[in-house]
Amino acid sequence: MKKVINNAEHVVDQMLDGLVSAHPDELKRLPDTTVIIRKDAPIKGKVGIVSGGGSGHEPAHAGFVGRGMLDAAVAGEVFTSPTPDQILEAIKAVDGGAGVLLVIKNYTGDVMNFEMAQEMAEMEGIQVASVVVNDDVAVEDSTFTIGRRGIAGTVFVHKVAGAKAEAGATLEEVKAVANQTIASVRSMGVALSSCTLPAAGKPSFTLAENEMEIGIGIHGEPGIERVALVSADEITTILLNKILAEIDEESSDVAVMVNGLGSTPEMELHIVNKKVAEVLRDKGMNVYRTWVGEYMTSLDMAGFSITILSLNEGLMELLVEDVKTVAFHV
Amino acid sequence: MKKVINNAEHVVDQMLDGLVSAHPDELKRLPDTTVIIRKDAPIKGKVGIVSGGGSGHEPAHAGFVGRGMLDAAVAGEVFTSPTPDQILEAIKAVDGGAGVLLVIKNYTGDVMNFEMAQEMAEMEGIQVASVVVNDDVAVEDSTFTIGRRGIAGTVFVHKVAGAKAEAGATLEEVKAVANQTIASVRSMGVALSSCTLPAAGKPSFTLAENEMEIGIGIHGEPGIERVALVSADEITTILLNKILAEIDEESSDVAVMVNGLGSTPEMELHIVNKKVAEVLRDKGMNVYRTWVGEYMTSLDMAGFSITILSLNEGLMELLVEDVKTVAFHV
Amino acid sequence: MIVLTIEHTKRWMEEIEKRMLEHKDQLTEFDQAIGDGDHGINMARGFHEVVAKINHVTYDSVSDVLKSAAMTLMAKVGGASGPLYGTAFLKMSMAMQGKEVNEEVFCQAMKDAVDGIHTRGKAEFGEKTLYDVWKQVADFLELEEVAEWQGLLEVCQATIEDTRELVATKGRASYLKERSKGHVDPGSMSSFYIFEALVEVIDWEE
Amino acid sequence: MIVLTIEHTKRWMEEIEKRMLEHKDQLTEFDQAIGDGDHGINMARGFHEVVAKINHVTYDSVSDVLKSAAMTLMAKVGGASGPLYGTAFLKMSMAMQGKEVNEEVFCQAMKDAVDGIHTRGKAEFGEKTLYDVWKQVADFLELEEVAEWQGLLEVCQATIEDTRELVATKGRASYLKERSKGHVDPGSMSSFYIFEALVEVIDWEE
Ligand SMILES: Nc1ncnc2c1ncn2[C@@H]1O[C@H](COP(=O)(O)OP(=O)(O)O)[C@@H](O)[C@H]1O
Ligand SMILES: Nc1ncnc2c1ncn2[C@@H]1O[C@H](COP(=O)(O)OP(=O)(O)O)[C@@H](O)[C@H]1O
Ligand SMILES: [Mg+2]
Ligand SMILES: [Mg+2]
Ligand SMILES: [Mg+2]
Ligand SMILES: [Mg+2]
């Protein structure tokens, strides 16, 4: 494994310091925590939005902290949900009196840790609500399963909820629009190569030179099937069909995100987006906005995910509302 | 080689279509060319800024097209300078009557092709000036060499020249400030792994599991030396010392860019930036602004480059002037 | 008869740390196979912090030692295993509050720990999680004399072997469905080390 | 005696394309060793386009064929080799304008091509670029009878061998400094194929 690090145990700590020293006017790290907050938080009377999760998904989640999006991002160890005490610090730091919404990705660990933090915060008299994002259609959603995973679609939830909160909505309203977004967003990814955790030192899994894993999770969790690598257009069609099948296609207006998982060059993401745009056009859908780039990565994994958000008037407005973050721009 | 492509011969063409379909309101591709221009170009009375080069450096160069930066970017084949006819089309498309500045990276091919285009444009009566960026201190600059290469520092030249042009300056003024930036910007990179050209199908070079190449070029050109991989802090110190030695340190105000070459996760870039900030602080320098991310990549190469721009009042203002592009934000 | 003194308990944590460090790679490999490859890293970090913490504090009760351990695990591990082990030790601590830890108290504490894991993780028996191991151990302790407690190692091993062939339906491994068969659940393995350490310290006096 | 007819010239380009496609990987490997690994790709693309272009046009002179070739190379190759080969063929075309291409005219055309490469690339002899090969070939042709022109292949080979041990001081290879020694310059190699094709077509009639 070759990584530009000093010590596997300090990657998260040093990354957070590096991030803040690049944006000293916008971001602040809560002392002795792994919490990054808006420098102007808490904002009186505004609902605070807190998200986070394991590290290794950069720019998620700290890259989305800023006006119109997140008030705080809590970073866990690599691929490990942050702990309740850290999440609690974030909640306390951004509560402006209007309550705090937790945006949680649907993983056992994340849900348990965020819920514990929520209980603690409520014990301290802070009004807290939470939503769980589950956009990954690679996993079936049934009462017999733990449900779909939360992947790149989470970024759209951050954006929509953040815009709503910035507009002065109540905690209930912000939670409602976040849940509406969660109900309308679906994603699926593909991996061409594994990622390597700094502390593990070797790849989490291996794919043969001609293999790809369809439906990969952002922590390298297995997907639906391991098949022969095919063309960009074919892969894109496979992912899109699965995604569109699970989405409420009532609305023909959609937002698109083509998200790189780490090592896949932007050139290839654009080639994918060309096909995405064509397929959606052929289906008579209207692409309202498109984001192509790295938003929810998986360390150095090669591959990408496609996210489709089905839009209504309200979501459209919130999606393009002014935002000031390091990694998400409209 | 595993790549998300359809056909190595069409990567540039399909990438450009994908990019434009993601930003239909801001960008436009000139029909039957590899030229991406601002949708509102040409802008009457404004100096046009044209840059470009081989593809494989995304988001460079098309990602920097937009208000306050480039008017047009010309994409060549992967790692191959674009041809004079394409560059000529770009010049003609963005000339608003005030002339056009060509920002060229210092490579034999780029210089020859852009110069030929300049000659052709001048024959057609368009006023054209050009500047050549040479920020890579890994190459010695002497009358016996072809001089330093142009790498990530080019992005700062785009930004400064673009802001100056947007402000209504004349071609001479824009060229002057571009040259001033070129004189004040220095960079150096390191590679942990090679890149693979789509059409070549195999890595351009190979580095052993414990090796890194200091001073790598963005096309995989060799650097200063191939040595054992060391810690992020040590690599950063090596690069910074070389860069600062070649920079006019008169000014203690600097802008920093930590640029990922392709496969290196953002986490690692932030770890590097932490050290960069510390070293500069210890040297009594003041970091005015920092950009961490992928700006001038080399396909799927693992590694990064550091760029330092020495600033004066004028450059500071131009650097943070409002800009609207896909890949560069202030 | 006293099963755990303050000293025993501190020693228990040290023995756990020793094993988690020793088997860090094994646990990580198990988690790479059916999870996300961080379990060994999480356990090593967590119990290292626990020992670092309790060594700097003097305690007046076993309950307090376990409470420190629980809080440290919750604050330093994260993921799924952090809250679960944290909850387990916290429930034990609560069950032992103001009591000397004899056989009966310990069995009750184990029962409460198992219930805690159950409520927090919502896994049922046989979903191929660490809950399986804790449940089996608790049931076994209730039936056996302390003298026979070394036997719980076989119980753990047996459970791990039985669950190896199961399809995981909770936790990350559940994403693998059928493909999770034939792999040992990493959390069950780390639980084995926790109980192996326990046996080690209980024998320790004799 | 006529050295090149329109047919010869079209055939020359086809023979070049054949060789560039055949040796695409070799040229790319040479460029991977001391450049950026695209030379074979550039040459194959460029001469493929040249042939595609000239096959769809009827020409009244050798000069016009070469002008088409030159323009196509400039428009389709890019990099360093595009402008250089484009310039070379353009200068040849200009020297042949309104003339039948006999020995003398061809020699003058080669001279002009060499000057063109020199002005465009500013490389001197011995800087380990394609200029070395073109210069040597031009000088040789001037001295020899057409009957002896096959000899230019040895001239090319000799030049390539001589320059192999040189340190490149122009083009990308110059970044390697000492490390460029022992490697054949990719552009010199592609130039060899251009002249190999020339010999092929000149022999062609007999
Ligand atoms: N719902 C649950 N109930 C009980 N144990 C669980 C549950 N989910 C996961 N586990 C246990 O947690 C272990 C994984 O822990 P770890 O890898 O540290 O966390 P994560 O899965 O978040 O990376 C699994 O092997 C399993 O034994
Ligand atoms: N200044 C120059 N003068 C003459 N030939 C040159 C010069 N620079 C480069 N070359 C030739 O160009 C070849 C490289 O061509 P190519 O790889 O297609 O372009 P690039 O170097 O831009 O990738 C070199 O092998 C060399 O022979
Ligand atoms: Mg984990
Ligand atoms: Mg090239
Ligand atoms: Mg895990
Ligand atoms: Mg080349």
Side-chain angles (χ1 to χ4, degrees):
Chain A
M1 168 201 63
K2 290 164 101 171
K3 291 190 182 293
V4 183
I5 61 175
N6 294 305
N7 173 331
E9 276 157 40
H10 300 143
V11 290
V12 175
D13 179 55
Q14 299 187 338
M15 162 184 76
L16 294 174
D17 283 348
L19 171 67
V20 171
S21 64
H23 304 281
D25 302 336
E26 294 86 26
L27 302 177
K28 185 174 129 195
R29 179 177 180 178
L30 292 182
D32 308 316
T33 72
T34 56
V35 178
I36 300 293
I37 67 168
R38 268 174 75 160
K39 201 159 187 190
D40 55 0
I43 290 137
K44 192 108 211 58
K46 181 183 102 57
V47 169
I49 313 280
V50 173
S51 191
S55 294
H57 305 303
E58 292 65 35
H61 298 78
F64 306 128
V65 171
R67 180 166 45 73
M69 216 156 164
L70 302 181
D71 292 85
V74 192
E77 289 295 324
V78 176
F79 289 2
T80 303
S81 159
T83 55
D85 57 313
Q86 301 289 306
I87 301 165
L88 177 62
E89 290 307 317
I91 295 171
K92 291 199 279 190
V94 306
D95 176 35
V100 175
L101 178 73
L102 305 181
V103 179
I104 310 169
K105 294 204 265 20
N106 188 32
Y107 298 96
T108 306
D110 293 66
V111 172
M112 288 195 288
N113 285 283
F114 276 82
E115 275 176 356
M116 288 167 78
Q118 176 166 4
E119 291 159 16
M120 296 176 185
E122 283 164 349
M123 286 194 299
E124 298 193 21
I126 301 174
Q127 194 191 358
V128 182
S130 62
V131 295
V132 178
V133 186
N134 61 345
D135 55 316
D136 187 355
V137 299
V139 182
E140 85 175 298
D141 190 25
S142 83
T143 48
F144 307 105
T145 67
I146 58 176
R148 290 186 306 252
R149 299 176 289 229
I151 56 176
T154 309
V155 180
F156 283 146
V157 180
H158 292 158
K159 176 62 177 78
V160 170
K164 189 76 177 176
E166 204 70 47
T170 66
L171 182 56
E172 291 61 30
E173 293 167 331
V174 176
K175 178 180 177 175
V177 78
N179 275 325
Q180 183 190 354
T181 310
I182 291 169
S184 317
V185 68
R186 297 291 182 269
S187 308
M188 190 152 104
V190 59
L192 273 64
S193 78
S194 174
C195 52
T196 300
L197 278 75
K202 52 188 180 26
S204 301
F205 59 97
T206 39
L207 283 167
E209 183 53 35
N210 67 335
E211 275 182 332
M212 64 178 173
E213 175 108 16
I214 297 277
I216 193 77
I218 55 172
H219 309 91
E221 301 100 335
I224 292 172
E225 52 175 356
R226 198 169 278 203
V227 294
L229 180 62
V230 291
S231 74
D233 286 358
E234 290 169 293
I235 303 173
T236 303
T237 308
I238 293 169
L239 298 185
L240 264 183
N241 289 339
K242 192 96 170 64
I243 293 166
L244 294 175
E246 304 247 349
I247 213 167
D248 150 35
E249 291 193 54
E250 295 297 301
S251 160
S252 60
D253 294 302
V254 296
V256 172
M257 177 176 281
V258 176
N259 170 61
L261 291 179
S263 295
T264 292
E266 193 176 307
M267 168 187 272
E268 299 172 32
L269 301 181
H270 285 307
I271 290 172
V272 167
N273 184 57
K274 173 180 191 290
K275 182 65 175 178
V276 171
E278 286 165 4
V279 172
L280 295 176
R281 192 187 315 110
D282 296 349
K283 292 190 186 292
M285 301 176 84
N286 162 41
V287 176
Y288 177 60
R289 279 295 179 101
T290 303
W291 282 267
V292 176
E294 294 184 353
Y295 296 93
M296 183 67 70
T297 62
S298 184
L299 292 169
D300 56 347
M301 188 183 291
F304 66 93
S305 66
I306 298 174
T307 297
I308 302 289
L309 171 61
S310 169
L311 298 164
N312 63 19
E313 279 287 325
L315 292 184
M316 286 189 192
E317 279 172 23
L318 293 167
L319 200 57
V320 299
E321 264 303 325
D322 201 18
V323 64
K324 182 88 177 69
T325 68
V326 173
F328 193 88
H329 307 275
V330 296
Chain B
M1 168 203 62
K2 288 164 106 171
K3 290 190 182 293
V4 183
I5 62 175
N6 294 305
N7 172 332
E9 275 157 40
H10 300 142
V11 290
V12 175
D13 180 54
Q14 299 187 338
M15 161 184 76
L16 295 175
D17 283 347
L19 171 68
V20 172
S21 64
H23 304 280
D25 302 337
E26 294 84 27
L27 302 177
K28 185 174 131 196
R29 178 177 180 179
L30 292 181
D32 309 314
T33 72
T34 56
V35 178
I36 300 292
I37 66 168
R38 268 174 75 159
K39 198 149 186 200
D40 54 0
I43 290 137
K44 192 108 209 55
K46 180 182 103 59
V47 170
I49 313 279
V50 172
S51 191
S55 293
H57 305 304
E58 292 66 36
H61 298 81
F64 306 128
V65 171
R67 181 167 43 72
M69 214 155 166
L70 302 181
D71 291 87
V74 192
E77 288 297 323
V78 175
F79 289 2
T80 304
S81 159
T83 54
D85 55 315
Q86 301 289 306
I87 301 165
L88 178 61
E89 289 308 315
I91 295 171
K92 291 199 276 188
V94 305
D95 176 36
V100 174
L101 178 72
L102 305 181
V103 179
I104 311 168
K105 295 203 264 22
N106 188 33
Y107 297 96
T108 307
D110 292 66
V111 172
M112 287 194 286
N113 285 283
F114 275 82
E115 275 176 357
M116 287 167 78
Q118 176 168 5
E119 291 158 18
M120 296 175 185
E122 283 164 347
M123 286 195 296
E124 298 192 21
I126 301 174
Q127 195 191 359
V128 181
S130 62
V131 296
V132 178
V133 185
N134 62 346
D135 54 316
D136 186 355
V137 300
V139 181
E140 85 176 299
D141 189 27
S142 83
T143 47
F144 308 105
T145 67
I146 57 175
R148 290 187 304 252
R149 300 176 288 231
I151 55 175
T154 310
V155 180
F156 282 146
V157 180
H158 292 158
K159 177 62 177 78
V160 169
K164 188 76 176 178
E166 205 69 48
T170 66
L171 182 57
E172 291 61 33
E173 292 166 332
V174 176
K175 178 180 179 175
V177 76
N179 275 324
Q180 184 192 351
T181 309
I182 290 169
S184 317
V185 68
R186 296 292 182 268
S187 308
M188 188 151 103
V190 60
L192 273 63
S193 79
S194 173
C195 52
T196 300
L197 278 74
K202 52 186 182 23
S204 301
F205 58 94
T206 40
L207 284 167
E209 184 51 37
N210 68 336
E211 274 182 334
M212 63 177 174
E213 174 107 16
I214 296 276
I216 193 76
I218 56 172
H219 308 91
E221 303 98 334
I224 293 171
E225 52 175 357
R226 197 168 278 201
V227 294
L229 181 62
V230 292
S231 74
D233 286 357
E234 290 168 291
I235 303 173
T236 303
T237 309
I238 294 168
L239 298 186
L240 262 183
N241 288 340
K242 193 93 169 65
I243 292 166
L244 294 174
E246 304 247 349
I247 213 167
D248 151 33
E249 288 192 57
E250 296 297 302
S251 160
S252 60
D253 294 303
V254 296
V256 172
M257 176 176 283
V258 177
N259 170 60
L261 291 179
S263 295
T264 293
E266 193 176 306
M267 167 185 272
E268 299 172 33
L269 301 180
H270 285 307
I271 291 172
V272 167
N273 185 57
K274 173 180 191 288
K275 183 64 176 179
V276 171
E278 286 165 5
V279 172
L280 294 176
R281 193 189 313 107
D282 296 350
K283 290 189 188 292
M285 300 175 87
N286 161 42
V287 176
Y288 176 62
R289 279 296 178 99
T290 304
W291 282 266
V292 177
E294 295 183 353
Y295 296 94
M296 183 68 70
T297 62
S298 185
L299 292 168
D300 55 346
M301 188 183 290
F304 66 94
S305 67
I306 298 175
T307 297
I308 301 289
L309 170 62
S310 169
L311 297 164
N312 63 19
E313 279 286 325
L315 291 183
M316 285 189 193
E317 280 173 24
L318 293 168
L319 201 57
V320 300
E321 265 302 326
D322 200 18
V323 64
K324 183 85 178 69
T325 68
V326 172
F328 193 88
H329 307 276
V330 295
Chain C
M1 160 222 179
I2 303 304
V3 181
L4 279 181
T5 63
I6 294 174
E7 268 322 300
H8 282 100
T9 314
K10 287 187 156 192
R11 179 83 194 289
W12 183 17
M13 295 301 137
E14 284 158 14
E15 288 296 328
I16 296 176
E17 181 200 17
K18 214 174 82 194
R19 285 166 176 74
M20 295 302 181
L21 292 176
E22 201 172 306
H23 301 286
K24 181 178 174 186
D25 293 349
Q26 177 209 39
L27 293 171
T28 291
E29 276 158 27
F30 284 8
D31 199 36
Q32 284 183 322
I34 60 174
D36 60 351
D38 60 356
H39 191 58
I41 301 158
N42 291 343
M43 291 297 96
R45 183 181 63 249
F47 284 96
H48 178 71
E49 296 282 354
V50 166
V51 170
K53 166 85 194 206
I54 60 179
N55 281 345
H56 294 83
V57 187
T58 46
Y59 297 92
D60 349 318
S61 76
V62 170
S63 172
D64 291 350
V65 181
L66 290 180
K67 185 167 181 211
S68 266
M71 289 310 178
T72 309
L73 288 172
M74 290 206 196
K76 300 298 180 182
V77 176
S81 55
L84 292 165
Y85 282 139
T87 304
F89 286 110
L90 191 62
K91 295 293 179 186
M92 285 184 131
S93 160
M94 285 156 77
M96 295 171 176
Q97 222 156 29
K99 305 199 179 101
E100 281 201 324
V101 185
N102 57 25
E103 193 169 341
E104 185 197 341
V105 171
F106 191 83
C107 287
Q108 185 55 50
M110 274 298 293
K111 264 232 206 69
D112 295 357
V114 170
D115 293 344
I117 293 172
H118 189 241
T119 355
R120 178 59 66 194
K122 303 180 187 61
E124 297 303 331
F125 185 76
E127 295 204 83
K128 198 170 181 167
T129 71
L130 55 83
Y131 175 70
D132 299 338
V133 172
W134 282 73
K135 181 87 176 65
Q136 292 287 62
V137 169
D139 295 351
F140 170 84
L141 294 185
E142 220 180 351
L143 301 171
E144 300 293 334
E145 300 297 314
V146 181
E148 306 303 325
W149 280 12
Q150 303 92 314
L152 62 78
L153 292 190
E154 284 96 79
V155 174
C156 292
Q157 270 150 344
T159 314
I160 289 173
E161 277 317 310
D162 298 348
T163 55
R164 178 200 290 272
E165 293 312 318
L166 293 179
V167 172
T169 48
K170 281 282 187 303
R172 263 178 231 284
S174 65
Y175 301 131
L176 272 158
K177 304 213 194 84
E178 287 300 313
R179 285 195 271 171
S180 63
K181 274 190 187 173
H183 294 280
V184 169
D185 168 58
S188 300
M189 197 66 222
S190 58
S191 296
F192 169 82
Y193 296 126
I194 289 173
F195 293 115
E196 189 185 49
L198 175 66
V199 170
E200 176 84 15
V201 297
I202 292 178
D203 290 349
W204 179 46
E205 289 295 61
E206 286 91 273
Chain D
M1 164 217 174
I2 303 304
V3 183
L4 278 182
T5 63
I6 294 175
E7 269 322 300
H8 281 100
T9 316
K10 287 186 155 193
R11 180 79 195 289
W12 182 18
M13 294 302 136
E14 283 159 13
E15 288 296 327
I16 296 176
E17 181 200 16
K18 214 175 84 195
R19 286 167 175 72
M20 295 304 181
L21 292 176
E22 199 173 310
H23 301 286
K24 181 178 172 185
D25 294 348
Q26 178 209 37
L27 293 171
T28 290
E29 276 157 29
F30 284 10
D31 199 35
Q32 284 183 323
I34 60 174
D36 61 351
D38 60 357
H39 191 56
I41 301 158
N42 291 344
M43 291 296 97
R45 183 181 63 250
F47 283 96
H48 178 70
E49 297 281 353
V50 166
V51 172
K53 164 87 189 187
I54 60 179
N55 281 345
H56 294 85
V57 188
T58 45
Y59 298 91
D60 346 318
S61 75
V62 170
S63 172
D64 291 349
V65 180
L66 291 180
K67 185 166 182 211
S68 267
M71 288 311 177
T72 308
L73 290 173
M74 289 206 195
K76 299 299 180 182
V77 176
S81 55
L84 292 164
Y85 280 139
T87 305
F89 286 109
L90 191 61
K91 295 292 180 186
M92 285 186 132
S93 160
M94 287 157 75
M96 295 172 175
Q97 224 157 27
K99 301 194 181 112
E100 280 201 323
V101 184
N102 58 27
E103 192 171 341
E104 185 196 344
V105 172
F106 190 84
C107 287
Q108 185 55 49
M110 273 298 294
K111 264 231 203 69
D112 295 358
V114 169
D115 293 344
I117 292 172
H118 189 242
T119 351
R120 178 60 65 195
K122 302 183 188 59
E124 296 303 329
F125 185 77
E127 296 204 82
K128 196 168 180 166
T129 71
L130 55 84
Y131 175 70
D132 299 338
V133 172
W134 283 72
K135 179 90 177 66
Q136 293 288 62
V137 169
D139 295 351
F140 170 83
L141 293 185
E142 218 180 352
L143 300 172
E144 299 295 334
E145 298 298 312
V146 180
E148 305 304 322
W149 281 11
Q150 303 91 315
L152 62 77
L153 291 190
E154 285 98 77
V155 174
C156 292
Q157 269 149 346
T159 315
I160 288 172
E161 277 318 308
D162 298 349
T163 56
R164 178 200 288 273
E165 292 312 318
L166 293 179
V167 172
T169 48
K170 281 282 187 303
R172 268 178 225 284
S174 64
Y175 301 132
L176 271 157
K177 303 213 194 86
E178 286 302 313
R179 285 196 271 171
S180 63
K181 273 189 186 173
H183 294 279
V184 169
D185 168 57
S188 301
M189 198 65 221
S190 59
S191 295
F192 170 80
Y193 296 125
I194 289 172
F195 293 115
E196 189 184 49
L198 175 66
V199 170
E200 175 84 14
V201 297
I202 291 177
D203 290 349
W204 180 44
E205 288 293 64
E206 285 90 272

